[in-house]
Amino acid sequence: MTATAHAIVGGAIAAAVPDPSIGIPLAALSHPILDLIPHWDFGWGWKKKSKILLFAQTAADLSFGLVVTYFLFGRLVDNLYLTIAVFLSLIWDFLQAPYWLLGWKFAPFSTFYNVQRGMNGKIKLPWGILTQVATVGGVVLASRFFH
Ligand SMILES: [Zn+2]
């Protein structure tokens, strides 16, 4: 999924689970679970994109995601806990980025690439965005409910 979707879900988990020793592993686990849901993201067709375009899109997605996440949860959750949860909800893609952007096609980067490629559910636009909006919206609402 987009970095925005992963970051918001990581933040929502931190907001819903008061105990970081539970919330942090859950945030890390949320990434592969979300990626199973059919979606679209900027990585789609990455081989045909220039690395600069891919980097710019990914950086914009990440920045936007962090702004929205801190806007939604920054006042609800201890910021250190929130930052760790969000970082771990994204780390799978951070570890894959050198493969995409630098051509580092060796472990551990290739491992994350191969595992994630195998798990990634794909669906075309606009459905690929709508599935993310629905999933993230549902998780945020649920986190408010548990808070
Ligand atoms: Zn991923």
Side-chain angles (χ1 to χ4, degrees):
M1 284 199 174
T2 56
T4 299
H6 284 302
I8 295 173
V9 169
I13 290 170
V17 181
D19 184 350
S21 68
I22 300 168
I24 288 170
L26 278 180
L29 274 177
S30 72
H31 188 116
I33 293 168
L34 288 175
D35 276 347
L36 287 174
I37 298 167
H39 63 276
W40 170 92
D41 63 41
F42 290 109
W44 202 342
W46 68 276
K47 282 178 187 156
K48 290 182 203 140
K49 283 184 189 175
S50 76
K51 293 201 187 329
I52 291 175
L53 178 67
L54 183 62
F55 178 77
Q57 288 176 337
T58 310
D61 179 18
L62 182 61
S63 314
F64 177 75
L66 291 178
V67 168
V68 174
T69 302
Y70 282 88
F71 176 78
L72 286 173
F73 305 110
R75 289 166 188 217
L76 296 175
V77 193
D78 172 74
N79 276 7
L80 178 64
Y81 175 25
L82 182 60
T83 303
I84 294 171
V86 168
F87 180 75
L88 288 178
S89 73
L90 290 164
I91 196 164
W92 307 66
D93 286 342
F94 290 154
L95 285 167
Q96 187 178 322
Y99 182 103
W100 278 0
L101 295 169
L102 304 171
W104 290 6
K105 300 186 177 181
F106 45 82
F109 313 109
S110 56
T111 316
F112 280 88
Y113 172 77
N114 286 322
V115 168
Q116 294 216 83
R117 192 183 54 167
M119 294 181 67
N120 235 343
K122 284 187 171 187
I123 181 173
K124 281 191 176 137
L125 291 172
W127 305 108
I129 287 289
L130 291 175
T131 54
Q132 293 181 74
V133 171
T135 307
V136 171
V139 171
V140 170
L141 283 176
S143 76
R144 287 302 169 104
F145 184 74
F146 285 112
H147 191 65

PDB file of all heavy atoms in Angstrom, residues 95-125:
ATOM      1  N   LEU A  95      13.145  -1.062   3.825  1.00  0.00           N
ATOM      2  CA  LEU A  95      14.173  -2.067   3.556  1.00  0.00           C
ATOM      3  C   LEU A  95      14.156  -2.520   2.100  1.00  0.00           C
ATOM      4  O   LEU A  95      15.112  -3.096   1.604  1.00  0.00           O
ATOM      5  CB  LEU A  95      13.988  -3.260   4.486  1.00  0.00           C
ATOM      6  CG  LEU A  95      14.449  -2.967   5.912  1.00  0.00           C
ATOM      7  CD1 LEU A  95      13.973  -4.045   6.869  1.00  0.00           C
ATOM      8  CD2 LEU A  95      15.964  -2.844   5.977  1.00  0.00           C
ATOM      9  N   GLN A  96      13.057  -2.248   1.427  1.00  0.00           N
ATOM     10  CA  GLN A  96      12.947  -2.606   0.022  1.00  0.00           C
ATOM     11  C   GLN A  96      13.461  -1.469  -0.874  1.00  0.00           C
ATOM     12  O   GLN A  96      13.857  -1.702  -2.013  1.00  0.00           O
ATOM     13  CB  GLN A  96      11.472  -2.874  -0.260  1.00  0.00           C
ATOM     14  CG  GLN A  96      11.178  -3.408  -1.615  1.00  0.00           C
ATOM     15  CD  GLN A  96       9.687  -3.688  -1.755  1.00  0.00           C
ATOM     16  OE1 GLN A  96       9.043  -4.134  -0.822  1.00  0.00           O
ATOM     17  NE2 GLN A  96       9.149  -3.422  -2.897  1.00  0.00           N
ATOM     18  N   ALA A  97      13.451  -0.252  -0.352  1.00  0.00           N
ATOM     19  CA  ALA A  97      13.801   0.921  -1.159  1.00  0.00           C
ATOM     20  C   ALA A  97      15.182   0.840  -1.813  1.00  0.00           C
ATOM     21  O   ALA A  97      15.323   1.213  -2.981  1.00  0.00           O
ATOM     22  CB  ALA A  97      13.671   2.198  -0.326  1.00  0.00           C
ATOM     23  N   PRO A  98      16.230   0.352  -1.116  1.00  0.00           N
ATOM     24  CA  PRO A  98      17.537   0.276  -1.795  1.00  0.00           C
ATOM     25  C   PRO A  98      17.524  -0.636  -3.025  1.00  0.00           C
ATOM     26  O   PRO A  98      18.265  -0.400  -3.979  1.00  0.00           O
ATOM     27  CB  PRO A  98      18.471  -0.286  -0.713  1.00  0.00           C
ATOM     28  CG  PRO A  98      17.812   0.071   0.578  1.00  0.00           C
ATOM     29  CD  PRO A  98      16.330  -0.022   0.302  1.00  0.00           C
ATOM     30  N   TYR A  99      16.672  -1.645  -2.997  1.00  0.00           N
ATOM     31  CA  TYR A  99      16.555  -2.536  -4.162  1.00  0.00           C
ATOM     32  C   TYR A  99      16.015  -1.753  -5.345  1.00  0.00           C
ATOM     33  O   TYR A  99      16.539  -1.819  -6.455  1.00  0.00           O
ATOM     34  CB  TYR A  99      15.624  -3.701  -3.801  1.00  0.00           C
ATOM     35  CG  TYR A  99      15.437  -4.735  -4.899  1.00  0.00           C
ATOM     36  CD1 TYR A  99      16.094  -5.958  -4.839  1.00  0.00           C
ATOM     37  CD2 TYR A  99      14.584  -4.503  -5.975  1.00  0.00           C
ATOM     38  CE1 TYR A  99      15.918  -6.924  -5.821  1.00  0.00           C
ATOM     39  CE2 TYR A  99      14.405  -5.457  -6.962  1.00  0.00           C
ATOM     40  CZ  TYR A  99      15.064  -6.666  -6.882  1.00  0.00           C
ATOM     41  OH  TYR A  99      14.882  -7.614  -7.862  1.00  0.00           O
ATOM     42  N   TRP A 100      14.954  -0.980  -5.092  1.00  0.00           N
ATOM     43  CA  TRP A 100      14.323  -0.203  -6.155  1.00  0.00           C
ATOM     44  C   TRP A 100      15.203   0.937  -6.639  1.00  0.00           C
ATOM     45  O   TRP A 100      15.367   1.144  -7.832  1.00  0.00           O
ATOM     46  CB  TRP A 100      13.047   0.438  -5.617  1.00  0.00           C
ATOM     47  CG  TRP A 100      11.845  -0.431  -5.585  1.00  0.00           C
ATOM     48  CD1 TRP A 100      11.754  -1.734  -5.973  1.00  0.00           C
ATOM     49  CD2 TRP A 100      10.549  -0.032  -5.127  1.00  0.00           C
ATOM     50  NE1 TRP A 100      10.467  -2.165  -5.781  1.00  0.00           N
ATOM     51  CE2 TRP A 100       9.708  -1.164  -5.273  1.00  0.00           C
ATOM     52  CE3 TRP A 100      10.024   1.151  -4.623  1.00  0.00           C
ATOM     53  CZ2 TRP A 100       8.357  -1.118  -4.922  1.00  0.00           C
ATOM     54  CZ3 TRP A 100       8.696   1.182  -4.278  1.00  0.00           C
ATOM     55  CH2 TRP A 100       7.867   0.064  -4.418  1.00  0.00           C
ATOM     56  N   LEU A 101      15.700   1.695  -5.668  1.00  0.00           N
ATOM     57  CA  LEU A 101      16.299   2.987  -6.012  1.00  0.00           C
ATOM     58  C   LEU A 101      17.786   2.886  -6.314  1.00  0.00           C
ATOM     59  O   LEU A 101      18.315   3.654  -7.101  1.00  0.00           O
ATOM     60  CB  LEU A 101      16.062   3.992  -4.879  1.00  0.00           C
ATOM     61  CG  LEU A 101      14.585   4.344  -4.655  1.00  0.00           C
ATOM     62  CD1 LEU A 101      14.408   5.113  -3.358  1.00  0.00           C
ATOM     63  CD2 LEU A 101      14.032   5.157  -5.831  1.00  0.00           C
ATOM     64  N   LEU A 102      18.461   1.943  -5.677  1.00  0.00           N
ATOM     65  CA  LEU A 102      19.907   1.853  -5.846  1.00  0.00           C
ATOM     66  C   LEU A 102      20.320   0.596  -6.599  1.00  0.00           C
ATOM     67  O   LEU A 102      21.496   0.394  -6.886  1.00  0.00           O
ATOM     68  CB  LEU A 102      20.603   1.874  -4.472  1.00  0.00           C
ATOM     69  CG  LEU A 102      20.281   3.081  -3.584  1.00  0.00           C
ATOM     70  CD1 LEU A 102      20.853   2.883  -2.181  1.00  0.00           C
ATOM     71  CD2 LEU A 102      20.822   4.366  -4.202  1.00  0.00           C
ATOM     72  N   GLY A 103      19.319  -0.261  -6.888  1.00  0.00           N
ATOM     73  CA  GLY A 103      19.645  -1.498  -7.584  1.00  0.00           C
ATOM     74  C   GLY A 103      20.418  -2.474  -6.712  1.00  0.00           C
ATOM     75  O   GLY A 103      21.182  -3.293  -7.216  1.00  0.00           O
ATOM     76  N   TRP A 104      20.235  -2.389  -5.373  1.00  0.00           N
ATOM     77  CA  TRP A 104      20.919  -3.316  -4.462  1.00  0.00           C
ATOM     78  C   TRP A 104      20.162  -4.629  -4.428  1.00  0.00           C
ATOM     79  O   TRP A 104      19.370  -4.877  -3.522  1.00  0.00           O
ATOM     80  CB  TRP A 104      21.016  -2.708  -3.061  1.00  0.00           C
ATOM     81  CG  TRP A 104      21.969  -1.554  -2.976  1.00  0.00           C
ATOM     82  CD1 TRP A 104      22.630  -0.952  -3.987  1.00  0.00           C
ATOM     83  CD2 TRP A 104      22.333  -0.843  -1.776  1.00  0.00           C
ATOM     84  NE1 TRP A 104      23.389   0.090  -3.506  1.00  0.00           N
ATOM     85  CE2 TRP A 104      23.235   0.174  -2.167  1.00  0.00           C
ATOM     86  CE3 TRP A 104      21.981  -0.979  -0.423  1.00  0.00           C
ATOM     87  CZ2 TRP A 104      23.783   1.055  -1.237  1.00  0.00           C
ATOM     88  CZ3 TRP A 104      22.527  -0.098   0.491  1.00  0.00           C
ATOM     89  CH2 TRP A 104      23.437   0.906   0.088  1.00  0.00           C
ATOM     90  N   LYS A 105      20.434  -5.474  -5.402  1.00  0.00           N
ATOM     91  CA  LYS A 105      19.646  -6.699  -5.537  1.00  0.00           C
ATOM     92  C   LYS A 105      20.289  -7.845  -4.777  1.00  0.00           C
ATOM     93  O   LYS A 105      20.606  -8.883  -5.341  1.00  0.00           O
ATOM     94  CB  LYS A 105      19.464  -7.026  -7.019  1.00  0.00           C
ATOM     95  CG  LYS A 105      18.735  -5.879  -7.697  1.00  0.00           C
ATOM     96  CD  LYS A 105      18.361  -6.132  -9.122  1.00  0.00           C
ATOM     97  CE  LYS A 105      17.587  -4.914  -9.618  1.00  0.00           C
ATOM     98  NZ  LYS A 105      17.132  -5.022 -10.970  1.00  0.00           N
ATOM     99  N   PHE A 106      20.511  -7.613  -3.484  1.00  0.00           N
ATOM    100  CA  PHE A 106      21.069  -8.670  -2.640  1.00  0.00           C
ATOM    101  C   PHE A 106      20.405  -8.573  -1.271  1.00  0.00           C
ATOM    102  O   PHE A 106      19.735  -7.595  -0.954  1.00  0.00           O
ATOM    103  CB  PHE A 106      22.596  -8.519  -2.543  1.00  0.00           C
ATOM    104  CG  PHE A 106      23.069  -7.112  -2.287  1.00  0.00           C
ATOM    105  CD1 PHE A 106      23.080  -6.588  -1.002  1.00  0.00           C
ATOM    106  CD2 PHE A 106      23.490  -6.303  -3.350  1.00  0.00           C
ATOM    107  CE1 PHE A 106      23.512  -5.279  -0.772  1.00  0.00           C
ATOM    108  CE2 PHE A 106      23.918  -5.000  -3.124  1.00  0.00           C
ATOM    109  CZ  PHE A 106      23.931  -4.497  -1.832  1.00  0.00           C
ATOM    110  N   ALA A 107      20.597  -9.636  -0.452  1.00  0.00           N
ATOM    111  CA  ALA A 107      19.965  -9.690   0.866  1.00  0.00           C
ATOM    112  C   ALA A 107      20.548  -8.589   1.757  1.00  0.00           C
ATOM    113  O   ALA A 107      21.732  -8.253   1.624  1.00  0.00           O
ATOM    114  CB  ALA A 107      20.192 -11.058   1.487  1.00  0.00           C
ATOM    115  N   PRO A 108      19.757  -8.020   2.668  1.00  0.00           N
ATOM    116  CA  PRO A 108      18.366  -8.370   2.954  1.00  0.00           C
ATOM    117  C   PRO A 108      17.365  -7.645   2.048  1.00  0.00           C
ATOM    118  O   PRO A 108      16.181  -7.932   2.112  1.00  0.00           O
ATOM    119  CB  PRO A 108      18.189  -7.886   4.402  1.00  0.00           C
ATOM    120  CG  PRO A 108      19.060  -6.674   4.479  1.00  0.00           C
ATOM    121  CD  PRO A 108      20.253  -6.982   3.584  1.00  0.00           C
ATOM    122  N   PHE A 109      17.865  -6.715   1.200  1.00  0.00           N
ATOM    123  CA  PHE A 109      16.926  -5.885   0.427  1.00  0.00           C
ATOM    124  C   PHE A 109      16.144  -6.726  -0.579  1.00  0.00           C
ATOM    125  O   PHE A 109      14.946  -6.546  -0.756  1.00  0.00           O
ATOM    126  CB  PHE A 109      17.687  -4.754  -0.261  1.00  0.00           C
ATOM    127  CG  PHE A 109      18.632  -4.063   0.677  1.00  0.00           C
ATOM    128  CD1 PHE A 109      20.003  -4.213   0.558  1.00  0.00           C
ATOM    129  CD2 PHE A 109      18.132  -3.296   1.736  1.00  0.00           C
ATOM    130  CE1 PHE A 109      20.866  -3.609   1.454  1.00  0.00           C
ATOM    131  CE2 PHE A 109      18.984  -2.702   2.642  1.00  0.00           C
ATOM    132  CZ  PHE A 109      20.356  -2.854   2.500  1.00  0.00           C
ATOM    133  N   SER A 110      16.836  -7.668  -1.226  1.00  0.00           N
ATOM    134  CA  SER A 110      16.153  -8.517  -2.199  1.00  0.00           C
ATOM    135  C   SER A 110      15.140  -9.427  -1.504  1.00  0.00           C
ATOM    136  O   SER A 110      14.098  -9.757  -2.065  1.00  0.00           O
ATOM    137  CB  SER A 110      17.180  -9.361  -2.959  1.00  0.00           C
ATOM    138  OG  SER A 110      17.957 -10.108  -2.051  1.00  0.00           O
ATOM    139  N   THR A 111      15.433  -9.806  -0.253  1.00  0.00           N
ATOM    140  CA  THR A 111      14.501 -10.651   0.501  1.00  0.00           C
ATOM    141  C   THR A 111      13.189  -9.907   0.710  1.00  0.00           C
ATOM    142  O   THR A 111      12.106 -10.450   0.477  1.00  0.00           O
ATOM    143  CB  THR A 111      15.115 -11.014   1.872  1.00  0.00           C
ATOM    144  OG1 THR A 111      16.474 -11.362   1.670  1.00  0.00           O
ATOM    145  CG2 THR A 111      14.364 -12.151   2.522  1.00  0.00           C
ATOM    146  N   PHE A 112      13.290  -8.654   1.157  1.00  0.00           N
ATOM    147  CA  PHE A 112      12.071  -7.881   1.383  1.00  0.00           C
ATOM    148  C   PHE A 112      11.334  -7.634   0.071  1.00  0.00           C
ATOM    149  O   PHE A 112      10.109  -7.665   0.014  1.00  0.00           O
ATOM    150  CB  PHE A 112      12.394  -6.553   2.094  1.00  0.00           C
ATOM    151  CG  PHE A 112      12.576  -6.749   3.561  1.00  0.00           C
ATOM    152  CD1 PHE A 112      13.809  -7.082   4.088  1.00  0.00           C
ATOM    153  CD2 PHE A 112      11.479  -6.664   4.415  1.00  0.00           C
ATOM    154  CE1 PHE A 112      13.969  -7.305   5.445  1.00  0.00           C
ATOM    155  CE2 PHE A 112      11.626  -6.887   5.770  1.00  0.00           C
ATOM    156  CZ  PHE A 112      12.875  -7.206   6.289  1.00  0.00           C
ATOM    157  N   TYR A 113      12.097  -7.399  -0.977  1.00  0.00           N
ATOM    158  CA  TYR A 113      11.463  -7.196  -2.278  1.00  0.00           C
ATOM    159  C   TYR A 113      10.685  -8.444  -2.698  1.00  0.00           C
ATOM    160  O   TYR A 113       9.515  -8.357  -3.066  1.00  0.00           O
ATOM    161  CB  TYR A 113      12.518  -6.828  -3.330  1.00  0.00           C
ATOM    162  CG  TYR A 113      11.952  -6.795  -4.726  1.00  0.00           C
ATOM    163  CD1 TYR A 113      11.176  -5.720  -5.149  1.00  0.00           C
ATOM    164  CD2 TYR A 113      12.169  -7.849  -5.604  1.00  0.00           C
ATOM    165  CE1 TYR A 113      10.624  -5.693  -6.424  1.00  0.00           C
ATOM    166  CE2 TYR A 113      11.631  -7.831  -6.879  1.00  0.00           C
ATOM    167  CZ  TYR A 113      10.860  -6.756  -7.285  1.00  0.00           C
ATOM    168  OH  TYR A 113      10.317  -6.744  -8.538  1.00  0.00           O
ATOM    169  N   ASN A 114      11.335  -9.592  -2.628  1.00  0.00           N
ATOM    170  CA  ASN A 114      10.700 -10.820  -3.108  1.00  0.00           C
ATOM    171  C   ASN A 114       9.500 -11.226  -2.260  1.00  0.00           C
ATOM    172  O   ASN A 114       8.457 -11.608  -2.799  1.00  0.00           O
ATOM    173  CB  ASN A 114      11.721 -11.962  -3.150  1.00  0.00           C
ATOM    174  CG  ASN A 114      12.670 -11.789  -4.319  1.00  0.00           C
ATOM    175  OD1 ASN A 114      12.267 -11.367  -5.406  1.00  0.00           O
ATOM    176  ND2 ASN A 114      13.937 -12.080  -4.108  1.00  0.00           N
ATOM    177  N   VAL A 115       9.650 -11.114  -0.945  1.00  0.00           N
ATOM    178  CA  VAL A 115       8.537 -11.478  -0.064  1.00  0.00           C
ATOM    179  C   VAL A 115       7.357 -10.555  -0.331  1.00  0.00           C
ATOM    180  O   VAL A 115       6.214 -10.991  -0.486  1.00  0.00           O
ATOM    181  CB  VAL A 115       8.976 -11.413   1.418  1.00  0.00           C
ATOM    182  CG1 VAL A 115       7.756 -11.496   2.334  1.00  0.00           C
ATOM    183  CG2 VAL A 115       9.958 -12.533   1.723  1.00  0.00           C
ATOM    184  N   GLN A 116       7.640  -9.261  -0.420  1.00  0.00           N
ATOM    185  CA  GLN A 116       6.535  -8.317  -0.584  1.00  0.00           C
ATOM    186  C   GLN A 116       5.909  -8.422  -1.969  1.00  0.00           C
ATOM    187  O   GLN A 116       4.710  -8.257  -2.123  1.00  0.00           O
ATOM    188  CB  GLN A 116       7.025  -6.895  -0.345  1.00  0.00           C
ATOM    189  CG  GLN A 116       7.443  -6.672   1.085  1.00  0.00           C
ATOM    190  CD  GLN A 116       7.087  -5.274   1.544  1.00  0.00           C
ATOM    191  OE1 GLN A 116       5.966  -5.007   1.936  1.00  0.00           O
ATOM    192  NE2 GLN A 116       8.037  -4.372   1.466  1.00  0.00           N
ATOM    193  N   ARG A 117       6.746  -8.690  -2.970  1.00  0.00           N
ATOM    194  CA  ARG A 117       6.179  -8.805  -4.311  1.00  0.00           C
ATOM    195  C   ARG A 117       5.205  -9.971  -4.367  1.00  0.00           C
ATOM    196  O   ARG A 117       4.149  -9.896  -4.984  1.00  0.00           O
ATOM    197  CB  ARG A 117       7.295  -8.997  -5.330  1.00  0.00           C
ATOM    198  CG  ARG A 117       6.792  -8.835  -6.737  1.00  0.00           C
ATOM    199  CD  ARG A 117       7.871  -9.092  -7.732  1.00  0.00           C
ATOM    200  NE  ARG A 117       8.483 -10.396  -7.495  1.00  0.00           N
ATOM    201  CZ  ARG A 117       9.281 -11.002  -8.343  1.00  0.00           C
ATOM    202  NH1 ARG A 117       9.601 -10.412  -9.455  1.00  0.00           N
ATOM    203  NH2 ARG A 117       9.787 -12.180  -8.070  1.00  0.00           N
ATOM    204  N   GLY A 118       5.568 -11.063  -3.689  1.00  0.00           N
ATOM    205  CA  GLY A 118       4.716 -12.243  -3.672  1.00  0.00           C
ATOM    206  C   GLY A 118       3.401 -12.010  -2.948  1.00  0.00           C
ATOM    207  O   GLY A 118       2.394 -12.629  -3.260  1.00  0.00           O
ATOM    208  N   MET A 119       3.417 -11.104  -1.952  1.00  0.00           N
ATOM    209  CA  MET A 119       2.224 -10.917  -1.129  1.00  0.00           C
ATOM    210  C   MET A 119       1.330  -9.793  -1.615  1.00  0.00           C
ATOM    211  O   MET A 119       0.195  -9.672  -1.192  1.00  0.00           O
ATOM    212  CB  MET A 119       2.637 -10.562   0.303  1.00  0.00           C
ATOM    213  CG  MET A 119       3.343 -11.673   1.020  1.00  0.00           C
ATOM    214  SD  MET A 119       3.762 -11.145   2.685  1.00  0.00           S
ATOM    215  CE  MET A 119       2.129 -11.001   3.420  1.00  0.00           C
ATOM    216  N   ASN A 120       1.882  -8.914  -2.449  1.00  0.00           N
ATOM    217  CA  ASN A 120       1.168  -7.693  -2.776  1.00  0.00           C
ATOM    218  C   ASN A 120      -0.108  -7.956  -3.573  1.00  0.00           C
ATOM    219  O   ASN A 120      -0.052  -8.506  -4.670  1.00  0.00           O
ATOM    220  CB  ASN A 120       2.087  -6.802  -3.609  1.00  0.00           C
ATOM    221  CG  ASN A 120       2.245  -5.441  -2.990  1.00  0.00           C
ATOM    222  OD1 ASN A 120       1.455  -5.033  -2.137  1.00  0.00           O
ATOM    223  ND2 ASN A 120       3.262  -4.735  -3.409  1.00  0.00           N
ATOM    224  N   GLY A 121      -1.253  -7.569  -3.014  1.00  0.00           N
ATOM    225  CA  GLY A 121      -2.494  -7.658  -3.761  1.00  0.00           C
ATOM    226  C   GLY A 121      -2.623  -6.443  -4.668  1.00  0.00           C
ATOM    227  O   GLY A 121      -2.445  -5.323  -4.222  1.00  0.00           O
ATOM    228  N   LYS A 122      -2.896  -6.665  -5.970  1.00  0.00           N
ATOM    229  CA  LYS A 122      -2.954  -5.535  -6.898  1.00  0.00           C
ATOM    230  C   LYS A 122      -4.339  -5.362  -7.479  1.00  0.00           C
ATOM    231  O   LYS A 122      -5.005  -6.337  -7.806  1.00  0.00           O
ATOM    232  CB  LYS A 122      -1.974  -5.762  -8.050  1.00  0.00           C
ATOM    233  CG  LYS A 122      -0.544  -5.512  -7.670  1.00  0.00           C
ATOM    234  CD  LYS A 122       0.309  -5.596  -8.903  1.00  0.00           C
ATOM    235  CE  LYS A 122       1.723  -5.134  -8.601  1.00  0.00           C
ATOM    236  NZ  LYS A 122       2.514  -5.066  -9.826  1.00  0.00           N
ATOM    237  N   ILE A 123      -4.730  -4.129  -7.633  1.00  0.00           N
ATOM    238  CA  ILE A 123      -5.989  -3.821  -8.292  1.00  0.00           C
ATOM    239  C   ILE A 123      -5.855  -2.435  -8.889  1.00  0.00           C
ATOM    240  O   ILE A 123      -5.209  -1.560  -8.314  1.00  0.00           O
ATOM    241  CB  ILE A 123      -7.167  -3.955  -7.293  1.00  0.00           C
ATOM    242  CG1 ILE A 123      -8.515  -3.674  -7.956  1.00  0.00           C
ATOM    243  CG2 ILE A 123      -6.997  -3.074  -6.101  1.00  0.00           C
ATOM    244  CD1 ILE A 123      -9.690  -3.967  -7.025  1.00  0.00           C
ATOM    245  N   LYS A 124      -6.461  -2.259 -10.065  1.00  0.00           N
ATOM    246  CA  LYS A 124      -6.261  -1.018 -10.819  1.00  0.00           C
ATOM    247  C   LYS A 124      -6.939   0.189 -10.172  1.00  0.00           C
ATOM    248  O   LYS A 124      -7.883   0.033  -9.389  1.00  0.00           O
ATOM    249  CB  LYS A 124      -6.823  -1.185 -12.222  1.00  0.00           C
ATOM    250  CG  LYS A 124      -5.901  -1.956 -13.119  1.00  0.00           C
ATOM    251  CD  LYS A 124      -6.350  -1.885 -14.581  1.00  0.00           C
ATOM    252  CE  LYS A 124      -5.339  -2.585 -15.466  1.00  0.00           C
ATOM    253  NZ  LYS A 124      -5.981  -3.411 -16.482  1.00  0.00           N
ATOM    254  N   LEU A 125      -6.481   1.373 -10.570  1.00  0.00           N
ATOM    255  CA  LEU A 125      -7.152   2.610 -10.169  1.00  0.00           C
ATOM    256  C   LEU A 125      -8.521   2.673 -10.837  1.00  0.00           C
ATOM    257  O   LEU A 125      -8.661   2.164 -11.938  1.00  0.00           O
ATOM    258  CB  LEU A 125      -6.322   3.813 -10.615  1.00  0.00           C
ATOM    259  CG  LEU A 125      -5.007   3.996  -9.866  1.00  0.00           C
ATOM    260  CD1 LEU A 125      -4.192   5.095 -10.537  1.00  0.00           C
ATOM    261  CD2 LEU A 125      -5.243   4.334  -8.413  1.00  0.00           C
TER     262      LEU A 125
END
